Amino acid sequence: MKRKKLSTIIFTALLGMVLCKCTNPVQSVQPNSGFNISFKPTPPKDLADSNASSKQLIEFAWEEFFALNWKSSYSKDGLRDHPDTLWNYSDTSSAYPNLAVWETYAHRSELRPYSDTMLPFDSAPHYSYGDKLYPADRNANFRLFDVLDENNEIGSCDIYAHVNKYDKQHRVLYQAKVNRYEYDYVLKHYPNKSKLITARAYTAKMIDSINAYYPGVKNSCDCPPDYQGITLPCGSNGGDVGAMEVKTAWRELTPLDDSTKFFTRKVVYFRKEGNKIVYANKTYALIGLHIIHKTKNYNDFVFATWEHVDVQKDSMGYILLDTSGKETGKFYKGYPRLHPIPAIVDSSTQFVHDRLRKMNPKSIWLNYRLVGVQGKPTGDSSTFNYFLANYVVESDSTLADFKGSGIGTPDDGKPNILYDGQFFTMGGCQGCHGVAQKNLGGDFSFLLDTVGKPIKQPDLYGDHSRKLMALIEATKKSK
């Protein structure tokens, strides 16, 4: 009896282990270090309250990261922003899936199409620009999920890789995307440029006149259903995920790089040939990733950012742009990181890497680290991650040291963000996006403004954007 009972226990335990690996996508780890991070196929919806500790914000950010980098179900069911729940991070067949959930988010030219006609979220990839685009050759594919149509840091600077050997040969390109909840909100309420402009102006007017999105409402998540302005959907425990945006930075690999250490994709990029704008495909490597997420307890969004572990070793360099979009002045080669990554953030990366290595020693995410996370706005520049900046997304001092009231006044110390009925001078990513909230009425999203949107043409690889002057003019309003 005892031997039979013991055999039954062993069999049940082994069966449980098999089922856990094959059918249960949740992999929770609770180390002695005190971090509690779960590897789940869906992102967390909110934090427990609006006064989360730095550790809790870090845990929240990592759970977002792993959910968004989960394998997409798109090849099976045609659903975008949807995970394949039969997959998990213990899959050792590859270093990363052939398509991640965040890649299926809607591109900015799908959210703000030049045709002014948004399509249903689950439509196949479709990119709408004003200028006619031509394929570089008969094999050029314009329906890929990664379309790198931005070639600078929002008009502030151009950035290049391995400049010690290649000078300005390998330029960093960018793309921005939104999740289903944000896209469907815009599609339902403001599906064309005219309606969005009206709503944006209304929101900015309300913020300017009453220090709120709506009379008597301090949390923008509490605006009534018939609110005429822009208040993106909020994630809440027991409710939906809420609005999320992702911005990514990419570059070509060179013989100096070990390609096995990078998340790579065949992408769409653009260049000019004569008088034509052409699109072409090439393999690029991911070197930076931003995630921003609006929740009930963090209605000014949670901002989190990651980068490849070797970005500071890869001889990156940047050149500032003037207001006409031309490169000007010094070429800053091997520039310093202006604000160090906090020790607790580095500790979380080490913890995550330790767990990943046990699940899949080939995991590509062993080569990426968290830079930091911002939660509740503050006016105290000595607080945790106040100047949050990614080494390859906010490289120059304009963005890395941002604490101003507009893009043209990045360090004037004037208020740039509304929170709980009060204005603050917030730094870093959140402060910069606060300008999109306070001055532009776009609820922290630069994708909802009218600065070059709808998008007439993508940034061209060989040209320089003239975004900076437009952003400066658009964000001049101060309170």
Side-chain angles (χ1 to χ4, degrees):
M1 287 293 292
K2 289 183 179 179
R3 184 175 299 164
K4 183 177 180 181
K5 184 176 181 180
L6 180 60
S7 299
T8 301
I9 292 172
I10 294 173
F11 173 78
T12 302
L14 291 173
L15 179 61
M17 291 171 65
V18 171
L19 289 174
C20 179
K21 181 175 181 180
C22 298
T23 63
N24 185 357
V26 179
Q27 300 163 331
S28 183
V29 282
Q30 297 179 351
N32 293 331
S33 65
F35 288 111
N36 183 359
I37 299 171
S38 295
F39 294 56
K40 301 177 183 178
T42 54
K45 297 175 179 179
D46 201 356
L47 287 115
D49 60 58
S50 60
N51 292 301
S53 65
S54 56
K55 171 178 164 293
Q56 290 170 322
L57 287 168
I58 288 168
E59 292 169 344
F60 183 84
W62 274 116
E63 291 193 0
E64 291 179 319
F65 180 88
F66 287 116
L68 269 61
N69 282 295
W70 203 273
K71 182 179 180 180
S72 167
S73 69
Y74 184 79
S75 63
K76 295 181 178 180
D77 54 25
L79 295 177
R80 300 173 69 164
D81 188 7
H82 193 267
D84 179 350
T85 56
L86 295 181
W87 181 90
N88 64 43
Y89 282 92
S90 295
D91 182 354
T92 58
S93 63
S94 63
Y96 53 97
N98 56 7
L99 184 66
V101 169
W102 67 262
E103 292 180 275
T104 69
Y105 279 14
H107 189 270
R108 68 172 188 153
S109 66
E110 296 177 295
L111 179 73
R112 304 293 304 280
Y114 199 83
S115 66
D116 212 21
T117 301
M118 294 176 68
L119 300 182
F121 181 81
D122 287 317
S123 300
H126 52 280
Y127 309 107
S128 174
Y129 298 93
D131 289 348
K132 185 173 176 58
L133 306 176
Y134 299 85
D137 54 65
R138 65 180 183 179
N139 295 317
N141 185 352
F142 195 51
R143 300 297 181 184
L144 301 179
F145 271 112
D146 294 299
V147 177
L148 313 187
D149 66 341
E150 297 182 76
N151 67 7
N152 57 69
E153 296 183 355
I154 65 167
S156 182
C157 71
D158 292 338
I159 180 170
Y160 301 89
H162 289 303
V163 298
N164 56 336
K165 181 172 183 178
Y166 297 102
D167 195 49
K168 295 192 293 181
Q169 185 175 337
H170 296 290
R171 190 170 179 173
V172 177
L173 303 181
Y174 304 87
Q175 72 172 339
K177 291 173 171 278
V178 304
N179 74 344
R180 178 185 298 274
Y181 292 97
E182 180 165 339
Y183 186 93
D184 283 348
Y185 168 85
V186 176
L187 176 61
K188 178 180 178 180
H189 296 281
Y190 311 114
N192 58 54
K193 180 178 179 179
S194 176
K195 289 183 177 180
L196 191 60
I197 288 175
T198 300
R200 191 174 59 80
Y202 176 86
T203 310
K205 180 180 178 181
M206 296 296 282
I207 290 173
D208 187 53
S209 60
I210 64 171
N211 298 1
Y213 283 65
Y214 189 81
V217 171
K218 290 186 176 182
N219 187 324
S220 63
C221 298
D222 295 330
C223 290
D226 59 351
Y227 178 60
Q228 298 176 35
I230 298 173
T231 174
L232 294 172
C234 304
S236 63
N237 292 320
D240 294 326
V241 169
M244 299 182 74
E245 295 185 357
V246 170
K247 185 165 187 175
T248 47
W250 306 73
R251 70 169 177 85
E252 286 184 81
L253 295 179
T254 75
L256 300 176
D257 299 303
D258 180 352
S259 62
T260 65
K261 293 183 177 181
F262 291 84
F263 177 104
T264 61
R265 285 288 188 252
K266 181 183 286 188
V267 305
V268 179
Y269 77 103
F270 305 88
R271 64 175 185 257
K272 199 165 187 178
E273 292 185 356
N275 294 322
K276 293 182 178 180
I277 300 174
V278 304
Y279 60 87
N281 302 138
K282 192 177 286 188
T283 297
Y284 268 67
L286 180 72
I287 59 172
L289 183 149
H290 275 336
I291 300 174
I292 74 172
H293 188 178
K294 184 174 184 179
T295 77
K296 175 74 172 178
N297 285 324
Y298 289 83
N299 57 98
D300 280 13
F301 285 75
V302 175
F303 289 75
T305 187
W306 291 259
E307 63 190 26
H308 194 274
V309 295
D310 289 336
V311 286
Q312 286 184 263
K313 301 176 184 177
D314 289 339
S315 187
M316 308 299 296
Y318 71 82
I319 304 177
L320 297 176
L321 301 177
D322 63 21
T323 54
S324 68
K326 295 180 180 179
E327 292 184 349
T328 181
K330 180 181 177 180
F331 193 1
Y332 294 88
K333 301 181 179 182
Y335 53 90
R337 184 185 296 277
L338 295 184
H339 301 281
I341 299 174
I344 188 174
V345 174
D346 272 340
S347 178
S348 76
T349 295
Q350 183 61 53
F351 160 70
V352 164
H353 285 182
D354 288 345
R355 272 59 200 174
L356 274 177
R357 194 172 289 108
K358 293 175 182 177
M359 288 187 279
N360 181 3
K362 296 188 296 184
S363 175
I364 204 66
W365 305 120
L366 293 170
N367 302 294
Y368 292 80
R369 65 184 173 204
L370 179 65
V371 177
V373 55
Q374 291 176 316
K376 185 176 179 179
T378 176
D380 182 358
S381 62
S382 67
T383 54
F384 173 75
N385 268 167
Y386 180 85
F387 288 108
L388 179 62
N390 189 298
Y391 190 75
V392 291
V393 183
E394 296 91 13
S395 305
D396 67 322
S397 60
T398 296
L399 298 178
D401 272 339
F402 189 90
K403 56 179 184 302
S405 60
I407 302 302
T409 52
D411 56 3
D412 66 2
K414 294 181 179 179
N416 54 27
I417 195 169
L418 172 69
Y419 178 75
D420 196 25
Q422 299 182 57
F423 289 105
F424 296 92
T425 302
M426 184 59 186
C429 299
Q430 193 173 43
C432 185
H433 279 259
V435 172
Q437 175 216 36
K438 178 180 177 293
N439 296 5
L440 301 179
D443 200 14
F444 289 88
S445 176
F446 280 107
L447 299 181
L448 301 184
D449 64 41
T450 54
V451 183
K453 305 179 197 70
I455 304 158
K456 188 173 188 296
Q457 67 173 222
D459 296 346
L460 305 178
Y461 185 86
D463 288 348
H464 301 287
S465 169
R466 292 174 172 79
K467 295 179 193 175
L468 186 58
M469 192 67 239
L471 282 167
I472 289 173
E473 290 298 322
T475 61
K476 270 184 176 179
K477 188 188 76 170
S478 61
K479 187 177 178 70

